[in-house]
Amino acid sequence: MQFNAVYERCDAILNEQIDLLQQGEVEPILVLEQEKDKLLRQVEWQELEGSEEQLALAQELLAKQQAFEHQCALVREDLFRQLSEVRKQQKALNSYLDNR
């Protein structure tokens, strides 16, 4: 598959994934990730060896992917922190109710 077409679609997917992450939508992100993986497997990577422009686009896409993954990690950490707080509150509430 032509790299430029894959690049454009993957770039659009990453933009959409970032928007969905900011909205707290998880399932569509996973579906888009599968689509992106499928597209990247179809690329003829040996085509890139002779093209500086395509190599630069591939590096740009990689940097954007890494930034997205970093955002996902931050969201995951925040969710675990919130879950921990909820569990503490639940324990305190249960203890209070048990002592009534």
Side-chain angles (χ1 to χ4, degrees), residues 44-86:
E44 298 292 332
W45 291 104
Q46 52 273 24
E47 288 179 18
L48 298 182
E49 291 177 359
S51 173
E52 292 293 321
E53 180 184 334
Q54 288 182 337
L55 281 173
L57 290 174
Q59 290 172 337
E60 179 184 314
L61 196 60
L62 177 61
K64 195 171 198 174
Q65 176 68 31
Q66 289 171 334
F68 170 69
E69 289 172 1
H70 179 71
Q71 282 185 322
C72 287
L74 293 175
V75 168
R76 185 173 44 248
E77 286 174 18
D78 186 49
L79 289 173
F80 281 125
R81 197 171 18 263
Q82 290 177 27
L83 179 61
S84 176
E85 185 60 34
V86 167

Side-chain angles (χ1 to χ4, degrees), residues 15-48:
N15 288 334
E16 192 172 344
Q17 286 179 310
I18 290 167
D19 290 342
L20 289 167
L21 184 64
Q22 291 169 347
Q23 296 170 23
E25 299 290 329
V26 175
E27 283 202 35
I29 290 173
L30 299 174
V31 171
L32 289 169
E33 191 66 24
Q34 291 172 344
E35 179 184 349
K36 188 172 52 180
D37 287 345
K38 183 178 175 183
L39 285 169
L40 290 172
R41 278 190 230 107
Q42 296 174 16
V43 170
E44 298 292 332
W45 291 104
Q46 52 273 24
E47 288 179 18
L48 298 182

